[in-house]
Amino acid sequence: MKSSILAELEAARLVFHALLDSLSEEDLQRASANPAWSNRQILFHMLFGFLLLPSLLGIALIFSRLPSSYSRRFAALLNRLEKPFNVINALGPQGGGRVFTRQGLRSSFDWVHTLMMKWVQALPEAELQRGMYYPARWDPLFRDYMTIAEILRFPMR
């Protein structure tokens, strides 16, 4: 399973780079299919999913060692905070897309990609099957319970 996650992370890096390289500066500024965001803001939102991985992985590694009731309560608390999360999730890319340059998007992606490749390589295979309850109302890709492998694959989905 580790080898497939590593391959998916590398494929995601190549796709992100290809997408970024395929867009001119004018294309980056244009409105995306989501009229609230430019293409640059969409790219930042994609990057943001990867930037969250170190924190999500750290939290999962802790909660996966505790009784499941702890992560179930934590997920329930986070589900109650769905509205503030949605505001941050909508405004974050708008700001990030204005601040991050093409090179900033690329270097940030490469930094988190390198970090996650090292973490996955260092994780024992059995760790990938550990998991925790998740705030499923935060994102349609989140499920009520997610393994570490599923969390690592989240931004690629």
Side-chain angles (χ1 to χ4, degrees):
M1 183 178 308
K2 268 172 61 165
S3 61
S4 67
I5 292 172
L6 291 167
E8 289 174 45
L9 284 167
E10 181 57 19
R13 185 187 69 79
L14 294 173
V15 168
F16 189 84
H17 278 248
L19 182 57
L20 191 57
D21 292 343
S22 74
L23 299 171
S24 69
E25 283 303 316
E26 295 78 30
D27 291 334
L28 286 171
Q29 300 307 322
R30 283 194 183 99
S32 70
N34 176 343
W37 292 350
S38 70
N39 289 321
R40 184 187 315 268
Q41 291 165 331
I42 291 288
L43 284 169
F44 176 81
H45 190 66
M46 293 166 66
L47 165 64
F48 192 64
F50 284 91
L51 291 173
L52 289 175
L53 272 182
S55 297
L56 296 176
L57 182 57
I59 291 168
L61 287 170
I62 292 168
F63 274 105
S64 69
R65 286 169 168 72
L66 299 172
S68 63
S69 61
Y70 284 66
S71 70
R72 190 185 307 265
R73 287 186 198 122
F74 183 63
L77 171 66
L78 293 178
N79 273 328
R80 283 189 221 111
L81 300 172
E82 176 187 12
K83 288 182 182 173
F85 168 79
N86 286 337
V87 170
I88 293 166
N89 196 36
L91 295 178
Q94 289 180 350
R98 290 188 180 104
V99 172
F100 276 69
T101 63
R102 176 189 305 271
Q103 186 52 40
L105 291 166
R106 182 185 318 278
S107 62
S108 296
F109 193 97
D110 289 349
W111 171 81
V112 75
H113 173 268
T114 299
L115 177 65
M116 295 318 304
M117 293 291 277
K118 288 178 182 176
W119 279 25
V120 172
Q121 288 167 348
L123 277 175
E125 186 82 26
E127 288 292 302
L128 297 172
Q129 295 305 314
R130 298 174 81 81
M132 65 176 282
Y133 285 92
Y134 245 68
R137 293 195 326 220
W138 279 31
D139 191 294
L141 299 176
F142 284 174
R143 297 186 344 197
D144 286 331
Y145 186 89
M146 293 179 68
T147 66
I148 289 173
E150 291 168 328
I151 293 166
L152 286 165
R153 288 183 164 120
F154 154 72
M156 295 175 277
R157 292 177 63 209

